[in-house]
Coordinates of all heavy atoms in Angstrom, one line a residue:
M1 N -2.1 15.2 5.3 CA -1.7 13.8 5.1 C -0.3 13.6 5.5 O 0.6 14.4 5.3 CB -1.9 13.5 3.6 CG -1.6 12.1 3.3 SD -2.1 11.5 1.6 CE -1.4 12.6 0.5
A2 N 0.0 12.6 6.3 CA 1.3 12.2 6.8 C 2.2 11.8 5.6 O 1.7 11.5 4.6 CB 1.2 11.1 7.8
D3 N 3.5 11.9 5.9 CA 4.4 11.5 4.8 C 4.4 10.0 4.6 O 4.1 9.2 5.4 CB 5.8 12.1 5.0 CG 6.5 11.4 6.2 OD1 6.3 11.8 7.3 OD2 7.2 10.5 5.9
I4 N 4.8 9.6 3.4 CA 4.8 8.2 2.9 C 5.6 7.4 3.8 O 5.2 6.3 4.2 CB 5.2 8.1 1.5 CG1 4.2 8.8 0.6 CG2 5.4 6.7 1.0 CD1 4.7 9.1 -0.9
A5 N 6.8 7.8 4.2 CA 7.7 7.0 5.0 C 7.1 6.7 6.4 O 7.2 5.6 6.8 CB 9.0 7.8 5.2
A6 N 6.4 7.7 7.0 CA 5.8 7.5 8.3 C 4.7 6.5 8.2 O 4.6 5.6 9.0 CB 5.3 8.8 8.8
V7 N 3.9 6.6 7.2 CA 2.7 5.6 7.0 C 3.2 4.2 6.7 O 2.8 3.3 7.4 CB 1.7 6.1 6.0 CG1 0.7 5.0 5.6 CG2 1.1 7.4 6.4
L8 N 4.1 4.1 5.8 CA 4.6 2.7 5.4 C 5.4 2.2 6.6 O 5.4 1.0 6.8 CB 5.4 2.8 4.2 CG 4.7 3.1 2.9 CD1 5.6 3.0 1.7 CD2 3.5 2.2 2.7
G9 N 6.0 3.0 7.4 CA 6.8 2.6 8.5 C 5.9 2.0 9.6 O 6.4 1.3 10.5
R10 N 4.6 2.3 9.6 CA 3.7 1.8 10.6 C 3.1 0.5 10.2 O 2.3 -0.1 11.0 CB 2.6 2.8 10.9 CG 3.1 4.0 11.6 CD 1.9 5.0 12.0 NE 2.5 6.3 12.3 CZ 2.4 7.4 11.5 NH1 1.7 7.3 10.3 NH2 2.9 8.5 11.8
L11 N 3.3 0.0 9.0 CA 2.8 -1.3 8.5 C 3.6 -2.4 9.1 O 4.8 -2.2 9.3 CB 2.8 -1.3 7.0 CG 1.9 -0.3 6.3 CD1 2.1 -0.4 4.8 CD2 0.4 -0.6 6.6
T12 N 3.0 -3.5 9.3 CA 3.7 -4.7 9.8 C 4.5 -5.3 8.6 O 4.2 -5.0 7.4 CB 2.8 -5.8 10.3 OG1 2.0 -6.3 9.2 CG2 1.9 -5.3 11.4
P13 N 5.6 -6.1 8.9 CA 6.3 -6.7 7.8 C 5.4 -7.5 6.9 O 5.6 -7.5 5.6 CB 7.3 -7.6 8.5 CG 7.5 -6.9 9.8 CD 6.2 -6.4 10.2
E14 N 4.4 -8.2 7.4 CA 3.4 -8.9 6.6 C 2.6 -8.1 5.7 O 2.3 -8.4 4.6 CB 2.5 -9.8 7.5 CG 3.2 -10.9 8.3 CD 3.9 -10.4 9.6 OE1 3.7 -9.2 10.0 OE2 4.8 -11.1 10.1
E15 N 2.2 -6.9 6.2 CA 1.5 -5.9 5.4 C 2.3 -5.4 4.2 O 1.9 -5.3 3.1 CB 0.9 -4.8 6.2 CG -0.2 -5.3 7.2 CD -0.5 -4.4 8.3 OE1 0.3 -3.4 8.6 OE2 -1.6 -4.6 9.0
L16 N 3.6 -5.1 4.5 CA 4.5 -4.6 3.5 C 4.7 -5.7 2.4 O 4.7 -5.5 1.2 CB 5.8 -4.2 4.1 CG 5.9 -2.9 4.8 CD1 7.2 -2.7 5.5 CD2 5.6 -1.8 3.8
D17 N 4.8 -7.0 2.9 CA 4.9 -8.1 2.0 C 3.7 -8.2 1.1 O 3.8 -8.5 -0.1 CB 5.2 -9.4 2.7 CG 6.5 -9.5 3.3 OD1 7.4 -8.7 3.0 OD2 6.7 -10.4 4.2
G18 N 2.5 -8.0 1.7 CA 1.3 -8.0 0.9 C 1.3 -6.9 -0.2 O 0.8 -7.2 -1.3
L19 N 1.7 -5.7 0.2 CA 1.8 -4.7 -0.8 C 2.8 -5.0 -2.0 O 2.5 -4.8 -3.1 CB 2.2 -3.3 -0.2 CG 1.2 -2.7 0.7 CD1 1.8 -1.4 1.4 CD2 -0.1 -2.3 -0.1
R20 N 3.9 -5.6 -1.6 CA 4.9 -6.0 -2.6 C 4.3 -7.1 -3.5 O 4.6 -7.2 -4.7 CB 6.2 -6.4 -1.9 CG 6.9 -5.3 -1.3 CD 8.3 -5.7 -0.8 NE 8.9 -4.6 -0.1 CZ 9.1 -4.5 1.2 NH1 8.6 -5.5 2.0 NH2 9.7 -3.5 1.7
A21 N 3.5 -8.0 -2.9 CA 3.0 -9.2 -3.6 C 2.0 -8.7 -4.7 O 1.9 -9.3 -5.7 CB 2.3 -10.2 -2.6
V22 N 1.2 -7.7 -4.4 CA 0.2 -7.2 -5.4 C 0.9 -6.4 -6.5 O 0.4 -6.3 -7.6 CB -1.0 -6.5 -4.8 CG1 -1.8 -7.3 -3.9 CG2 -0.6 -5.2 -4.2
G23 N 2.1 -5.9 -6.2 CA 2.9 -5.2 -7.2 C 2.4 -3.7 -7.4 O 1.5 -3.3 -6.8
P24 N 3.2 -3.0 -8.2 CA 3.0 -1.6 -8.3 C 1.6 -1.2 -8.8 O 1.1 -0.1 -8.5 CB 4.0 -1.1 -9.3 CG 5.0 -2.2 -9.4 CD 4.3 -3.5 -9.0
Q25 N 1.0 -2.0 -9.7 CA -0.4 -1.6 -10.2 C -1.4 -2.6 -9.8 O -2.5 -2.6 -10.4 CB -0.3 -1.5 -11.7 CG 0.5 -0.3 -12.2 CD 0.0 1.0 -11.6 OE1 -1.2 1.3 -11.7 NE2 0.9 1.8 -11.1
G26 N -1.1 -3.5 -8.8 CA -2.1 -4.5 -8.4 C -3.2 -3.9 -7.6 O -3.1 -2.9 -7.0
H27 N -4.3 -4.6 -7.7 CA -5.5 -4.2 -7.0 C -5.3 -4.5 -5.5 O -5.0 -5.6 -5.1 CB -6.8 -4.8 -7.5 CG -7.1 -4.5 -8.9 ND1 -7.8 -5.3 -9.8 CD2 -6.7 -3.4 -9.6 CE1 -7.9 -4.7 -10.9 NE2 -7.2 -3.5 -10.9
L28 N -5.6 -3.6 -4.6 CA -5.4 -3.7 -3.2 C -6.6 -4.5 -2.6 O -7.7 -4.3 -3.0 CB -5.3 -2.4 -2.5 CG -4.1 -1.5 -2.9 CD1 -4.2 -0.2 -2.2 CD2 -2.8 -2.2 -2.6
T29 N -6.3 -5.4 -1.7 CA -7.3 -6.2 -1.0 C -7.9 -5.3 0.1 O -7.2 -4.3 0.5 CB -6.8 -7.5 -0.4 OG1 -5.8 -7.1 0.5 CG2 -6.2 -8.4 -1.5
R30 N -9.0 -5.7 0.6 CA -9.6 -4.9 1.7 C -8.6 -4.9 2.9 O -8.4 -3.9 3.6 CB -11.0 -5.5 2.1 CG -11.6 -4.7 3.3 CD -13.0 -5.2 3.6 NE -13.8 -5.1 2.4 CZ -14.8 -4.2 2.2 NH1 -15.1 -3.4 3.2 NH2 -15.5 -4.2 1.1
P31 N -8.0 -6.1 3.3 CA -7.1 -6.0 4.4 C -5.9 -5.0 4.2 O -5.5 -4.4 5.1 CB -6.6 -7.5 4.5 CG -7.7 -8.3 4.0 CD -8.2 -7.5 2.8
L32 N -5.5 -4.9 2.9 CA -4.4 -3.9 2.7 C -4.9 -2.5 2.8 O -4.1 -1.7 3.3 CB -3.7 -4.2 1.3 CG -2.9 -5.5 1.2 CD1 -2.4 -5.7 -0.2 CD2 -1.7 -5.4 2.2
T33 N -6.0 -2.2 2.3 CA -6.5 -0.8 2.4 C -6.8 -0.5 3.9 O -6.5 0.6 4.4 CB -7.8 -0.6 1.6 OG1 -8.8 -1.4 1.9 CG2 -7.5 -0.7 0.1
E34 N -7.3 -1.5 4.6 CA -7.5 -1.3 6.1 C -6.2 -1.1 6.8 O -6.1 -0.3 7.8 CB -8.3 -2.5 6.7 CG -9.7 -2.5 6.2 CD -10.5 -3.8 6.6 OE1 -9.9 -4.7 7.1 OE2 -11.7 -3.8 6.4
A35 N -5.1 -1.8 6.4 CA -3.8 -1.6 7.0 C -3.3 -0.2 6.7 O -2.8 0.5 7.6 CB -2.9 -2.7 6.5
L36 N -3.5 0.3 5.5 CA -3.0 1.6 5.2 C -3.8 2.7 5.9 O -3.3 3.7 6.4 CB -3.2 1.9 3.7 CG -2.1 1.2 2.8 CD1 -2.5 1.1 1.3 CD2 -0.7 1.8 3.0
D37 N -5.1 2.4 6.1 CA -6.0 3.3 6.9 C -5.5 3.4 8.3 O -5.3 4.5 8.9 CB -7.4 2.9 6.9 CG -8.2 3.1 5.6 OD1 -7.6 3.9 4.7 OD2 -9.3 2.6 5.4
R38 N -5.2 2.2 8.9 CA -4.7 2.2 10.3 C -3.4 2.9 10.4 O -3.2 3.7 11.3 CB -4.6 0.7 10.8 CG -4.0 0.6 12.2 CD -3.6 -0.9 12.5 NE -2.9 -1.6 11.5 CZ -1.7 -1.5 11.2 NH1 -0.9 -0.6 11.8 NH2 -1.1 -2.2 10.2
A39 N -2.5 2.6 9.5 CA -1.2 3.2 9.5 C -1.2 4.8 9.4 O -0.4 5.5 9.9 CB -0.3 2.6 8.5
A40 N -2.3 5.2 8.6 CA -2.4 6.7 8.4 C -3.2 7.4 9.5 O -3.3 8.6 9.5 CB -3.1 6.9 7.0
G41 N -3.8 6.6 10.4 CA -4.4 7.3 11.5 C -5.8 6.8 11.8 O -6.4 7.3 12.8
G42 N -6.4 5.9 11.1 CA -7.7 5.4 11.4 C -8.6 5.2 10.2 O -8.1 5.4 9.1
P43 N -9.8 4.7 10.4 CA -10.7 4.4 9.3 C -10.8 5.5 8.2 O -11.1 6.7 8.6 CB -12.1 4.2 9.9 CG -11.7 3.8 11.3 CD -10.5 4.6 11.7
G44 N -10.5 5.2 7.0 CA -10.5 6.1 5.9 C -9.4 7.1 5.8 O -9.2 7.8 4.8
A45 N -8.4 7.1 6.7 CA -7.3 8.0 6.7 C -6.3 7.7 5.7 O -5.5 8.5 5.3 CB -6.6 8.0 8.1
G46 N -6.3 6.5 5.2 CA -5.3 6.1 4.1 C -5.7 6.4 2.7 O -5.0 6.1 1.8
R47 N -6.9 6.9 2.5 CA -7.5 7.1 1.2 C -6.6 8.0 0.3 O -6.6 7.8 -0.9 CB -8.8 7.8 1.3 CG -9.9 6.8 1.7 CD -11.3 7.4 1.6 NE -12.2 6.5 2.3 CZ -13.2 6.9 3.0 NH1 -13.4 8.2 3.2 NH2 -14.0 6.1 3.6
G48 N -5.7 8.8 0.9 CA -4.8 9.5 0.0 C -3.6 8.7 -0.5 O -2.9 9.2 -1.4
Y49 N -3.5 7.5 0.1 CA -2.3 6.7 -0.3 C -2.7 5.7 -1.4 O -1.9 5.1 -2.0 CB -1.7 6.0 0.9 CG -1.2 7.0 1.8 CD1 -1.9 7.5 2.9 CD2 0.1 7.5 1.7 CE1 -1.4 8.5 3.7 CE2 0.6 8.5 2.5 CZ -0.1 9.0 3.5 OH 0.3 10.0 4.3
Y50 N -4.0 5.5 -1.5 CA -4.5 4.6 -2.6 C -5.7 5.3 -3.3 O -6.3 6.2 -2.8 CB -5.0 3.2 -2.1 CG -6.0 3.3 -0.9 CD1 -7.4 3.4 -1.1 CD2 -5.6 3.2 0.4 CE1 -8.3 3.5 -0.1 CE2 -6.5 3.2 1.5 CZ -7.8 3.3 1.2 OH -8.7 3.4 2.2
V51 N -5.8 5.0 -4.6 CA -6.8 5.6 -5.5 C -7.5 4.6 -6.3 O -7.0 3.5 -6.5 CB -6.1 6.7 -6.4 CG1 -5.4 7.8 -5.6 CG2 -5.0 6.0 -7.2
P52 N -8.7 5.0 -6.8 CA -9.4 4.1 -7.7 C -8.6 3.9 -9.0 O -8.0 4.8 -9.5 CB -10.7 4.8 -8.0 CG -10.9 5.8 -7.0 CD -9.5 6.2 -6.5
S53 N -8.6 2.7 -9.5 CA -7.8 2.4 -10.8 C -8.6 2.7 -12.0 O -8.0 2.8 -13.1 CB -7.4 0.9 -10.8 OG -8.6 0.1 -11.0
G54 N -9.9 2.9 -11.9 CA -10.7 3.2 -13.1 C -11.5 2.0 -13.5 O -12.4 2.1 -14.3
S55 N -11.3 0.8 -12.9 CA -12.1 -0.4 -13.1 C -12.8 -0.8 -11.9 O -12.6 -0.2 -10.8 CB -11.2 -1.5 -13.6 OG -10.3 -1.9 -12.5
V56 N -13.8 -1.6 -12.1 CA -14.6 -2.0 -10.9 C -14.6 -3.5 -10.8 O -14.4 -4.3 -11.7 CB -16.1 -1.5 -11.0 CG1 -16.2 0.0 -11.0 CG2 -16.8 -2.0 -12.3
S57 N -14.9 -4.0 -9.6 CA -15.0 -5.4 -9.2 C -16.3 -6.0 -9.7 O -17.2 -5.2 -10.0 CB -14.8 -5.6 -7.7 OG -16.0 -5.2 -7.1
P58 N -16.4 -7.3 -9.7 CA -17.7 -7.9 -10.1 C -18.9 -7.4 -9.2 O -20.0 -7.4 -9.6 CB -17.5 -9.4 -9.9 CG -16.0 -9.5 -10.1 CD -15.4 -8.3 -9.5
T59 N -18.6 -7.0 -8.0 CA -19.6 -6.5 -7.1 C -19.9 -5.0 -7.3 O -20.8 -4.4 -6.6 CB -19.3 -6.8 -5.6 OG1 -18.1 -6.1 -5.3 CG2 -19.1 -8.2 -5.4
G60 N -19.2 -4.3 -8.2 CA -19.4 -2.9 -8.5 C -18.6 -2.0 -7.7 O -18.6 -0.8 -8.0
G61 N -17.8 -2.4 -6.8 CA -16.9 -1.5 -6.1 C -15.6 -1.2 -6.9 O -15.2 -2.0 -7.7
P62 N -15.0 0.0 -6.7 CA -13.8 0.3 -7.4 C -12.6 -0.5 -7.0 O -12.5 -0.8 -5.9 CB -13.6 1.8 -7.1 CG -14.2 1.9 -5.7 CD -15.4 1.0 -5.7
H63 N -11.8 -0.9 -8.0 CA -10.5 -1.5 -7.7 C -9.6 -0.3 -7.2 O -9.6 0.8 -7.8 CB -9.9 -2.1 -8.9 CG -10.6 -3.4 -9.3 ND1 -10.9 -3.7 -10.6 CD2 -10.9 -4.5 -8.6 CE1 -11.5 -4.9 -10.6 NE2 -11.5 -5.4 -9.4
L64 N -8.9 -0.6 -6.2 CA -8.0 0.4 -5.6 C -6.5 0.0 -5.8 O -6.2 -1.2 -5.7 CB -8.3 0.6 -4.1 CG -9.7 1.0 -3.8 CD1 -10.0 1.0 -2.3 CD2 -10.0 2.4 -4.3
V65 N -5.7 1.0 -6.1 CA -4.3 0.8 -6.3 C -3.5 1.8 -5.5 O -4.1 2.9 -5.1 CB -3.9 0.9 -7.8 CG1 -4.5 -0.2 -8.6 CG2 -4.2 2.2 -8.4
L66 N -2.2 1.6 -5.3 CA -1.4 2.6 -4.6 C -1.3 3.8 -5.5 O -1.2 3.7 -6.7 CB 0.0 2.0 -4.3 CG 0.0 0.9 -3.2 CD1 1.4 0.4 -3.2 CD2 -0.4 1.4 -1.9
R67 N -1.3 5.0 -4.9 CA -1.0 6.2 -5.6 C 0.4 6.2 -6.2 O 1.3 5.5 -5.6 CB -1.1 7.4 -4.6 CG -1.4 8.7 -5.3 CD -1.6 9.8 -4.3 NE -0.3 10.0 -3.5 CZ -0.3 10.5 -2.3 NH1 -1.4 10.8 -1.7 NH2 0.9 10.6 -1.7
S68 N 0.6 6.8 -7.3 CA 1.9 6.7 -8.0 C 3.1 7.1 -7.2 O 4.1 6.4 -7.3 CB 1.9 7.5 -9.3 OG 1.7 8.9 -9.0
D69 N 3.1 8.1 -6.4 CA 4.2 8.4 -5.6 C 4.5 7.4 -4.5 O 5.6 7.2 -4.1 CB 4.2 9.8 -5.0 CG 2.9 10.1 -4.2 OD1 1.9 9.4 -4.3 OD2 3.0 11.1 -3.4
V70 N 3.4 6.8 -4.0 CA 3.6 5.7 -3.0 C 4.2 4.5 -3.6 O 5.2 3.9 -3.1 CB 2.2 5.3 -2.3 CG1 2.4 4.2 -1.3 CG2 1.6 6.6 -1.6
T71 N 3.7 4.2 -4.8 CA 4.3 3.1 -5.6 C 5.8 3.3 -5.9 O 6.6 2.5 -5.7 CB 3.6 2.9 -6.9 OG1 2.2 2.6 -6.6 CG2 4.2 1.8 -7.8
A72 N 6.1 4.6 -6.3 CA 7.5 4.9 -6.6 C 8.4 4.8 -5.3 O 9.5 4.3 -5.4 CB 7.6 6.3 -7.1
W73 N 7.8 5.2 -4.2 CA 8.6 5.1 -3.0 C 8.8 3.6 -2.6 O 9.9 3.3 -2.1 CB 7.8 5.8 -1.9 CG 8.6 6.3 -0.7 CD1 9.2 7.5 -0.6 CD2 8.9 5.6 0.5 NE1 9.9 7.6 0.6 CE2 9.7 6.4 1.3 CE3 8.6 4.3 0.9 CZ2 10.2 6.0 2.5 CZ3 9.1 3.9 2.2 CH2 9.9 4.8 2.9
L74 N 7.8 2.8 -2.7 CA 7.9 1.4 -2.3 C 8.6 0.5 -3.3 O 9.4 -0.4 -2.9 CB 6.5 0.8 -2.1 CG 6.4 -0.6 -1.5 CD1 7.0 -0.6 -0.1 CD2 4.9 -1.0 -1.3
F75 N 8.4 0.8 -4.6 CA 9.0 -0.1 -5.7 C 10.0 0.5 -6.5 O 10.6 -0.1 -7.4 CB 7.8 -0.6 -6.6 CG 6.8 -1.4 -5.9 CD1 5.6 -0.9 -5.5 CD2 7.0 -2.8 -5.7 CE1 4.6 -1.7 -4.9 CE2 6.1 -3.6 -5.1 CZ 4.9 -3.0 -4.7
G76 N 10.4 1.8 -6.3 CA 11.3 2.5 -7.1 C 12.7 1.8 -7.1 O 13.0 0.9 -6.3
A77 N 13.6 2.3 -8.0 CA 14.9 1.7 -8.1 C 15.7 1.7 -6.8 O 16.4 0.8 -6.5 CB 15.7 2.5 -9.2
A78 N 15.4 2.8 -6.0 CA 16.0 2.8 -4.7 C 14.9 2.7 -3.6 O 14.6 3.7 -3.0 CB 16.8 4.1 -4.5
A79 N 14.3 1.6 -3.5 CA 13.2 1.4 -2.6 C 13.6 1.9 -1.2 O 14.7 1.6 -0.7 CB 12.7 0.0 -2.5
Q80 N 12.7 2.6 -0.6 CA 13.0 3.2 0.7 C 12.7 2.3 1.9 O 13.2 2.4 3.0 CB 12.1 4.5 0.9 CG 12.4 5.5 -0.2 CD 13.8 6.1 -0.2 OE1 14.3 6.4 0.9 NE2 14.4 6.1 -1.3
V81 N 11.8 1.3 1.7 CA 11.5 0.3 2.7 C 12.4 -0.9 2.4 O 12.3 -1.4 1.3 CB 10.0 -0.1 2.7 CG1 9.7 -1.2 3.7 CG2 9.1 1.1 3.0
P82 N 13.2 -1.3 3.3 CA 14.1 -2.4 3.1 C 13.4 -3.7 2.6 O 12.3 -4.1 3.1 CB 14.8 -2.7 4.4 CG 14.5 -1.5 5.2 CD 13.3 -0.9 4.7
L83 N 13.9 -4.3 1.5 CA 13.4 -5.5 1.0 C 13.9 -6.7 1.8 O 15.0 -6.6 2.3 CB 13.7 -5.7 -0.5 CG 13.2 -4.6 -1.4 CD1 13.8 -4.8 -2.8 CD2 11.7 -4.6 -1.5
P84 N 13.1 -7.7 1.9 CA 13.6 -8.9 2.7 C 14.9 -9.5 2.0 O 14.9 -9.5 0.8 CB 12.5 -9.9 2.7 CG 11.4 -9.2 2.0 CD 11.8 -7.9 1.4
Q85 N 15.8 -9.9 2.8 CA 17.0 -10.5 2.3 C 16.8 -12.0 2.0 O 16.2 -12.7 2.8 CB 18.2 -10.3 3.2 CG 18.5 -8.9 3.5 CD 19.0 -8.1 2.3 OE1 19.9 -8.6 1.6 NE2 18.5 -7.0 2.1
A86 N 17.2 -12.4 0.8 CA 17.1 -13.9 0.5 C 18.1 -14.6 1.4 O 19.2 -14.2 1.6 CB 17.4 -14.1 -1.0
E87 N 17.7 -15.8 1.9 CA 18.5 -16.6 2.7 C 19.4 -17.4 1.8 O 19.0 -17.9 0.8 CB 17.7 -17.5 3.6 CG 16.9 -16.6 4.6 CD 16.2 -17.5 5.7 OE1 16.7 -18.6 6.0 OE2 15.2 -17.0 6.2
A88 N 20.7 -17.5 2.2 CA 21.7 -18.2 1.4 C 21.6 -19.7 1.6 O 21.2 -20.2 2.6 CB 23.1 -17.7 1.6

């Protein structure tokens, strides 16, 4: 599995914003899991970066969340991916 910095570095700014919008324990949407897969190397390659949360959707599919170390890297006190700057 590639390192977290390399995978998150391959996401678009919009995809990073989407991850930040769902939050550290938010359920990932299909477009976000597909973005992580693409960034990790192709279909299904991002599965190590997100994991089932233990709950299921109304359609029976597992809810997926970012793995804890990916969450810490993205949302930690010293976030490694630059956060957008607020305009003054």
Side-chain angles (χ1 to χ4, degrees):
M1 182 164 57
D3 69 272
I4 296 168
V7 170
L8 293 182
R10 291 184 197 106
L11 296 173
T12 67
E14 294 79 15
E15 292 163 344
L16 285 170
D17 289 345
L19 290 175
R20 290 185 185 109
V22 298
Q25 293 301 311
H27 298 154
L28 299 174
T29 63
R30 182 174 304 250
L32 289 176
T33 60
E34 289 172 351
L36 287 165
D37 286 347
R38 178 190 42 77
R47 287 187 190 141
Y49 297 92
Y50 53 84
V51 295
S53 69
S55 62
V56 295
S57 71
T59 61
H63 286 134
L64 301 170
V65 296
L66 291 173
R67 199 177 66 205
S68 61
D69 58 338
V70 177
T71 298
W73 204 92
L74 187 60
F75 295 99
Q80 303 295 313
V81 175
L83 297 173
Q85 299 296 314
E87 295 187 28

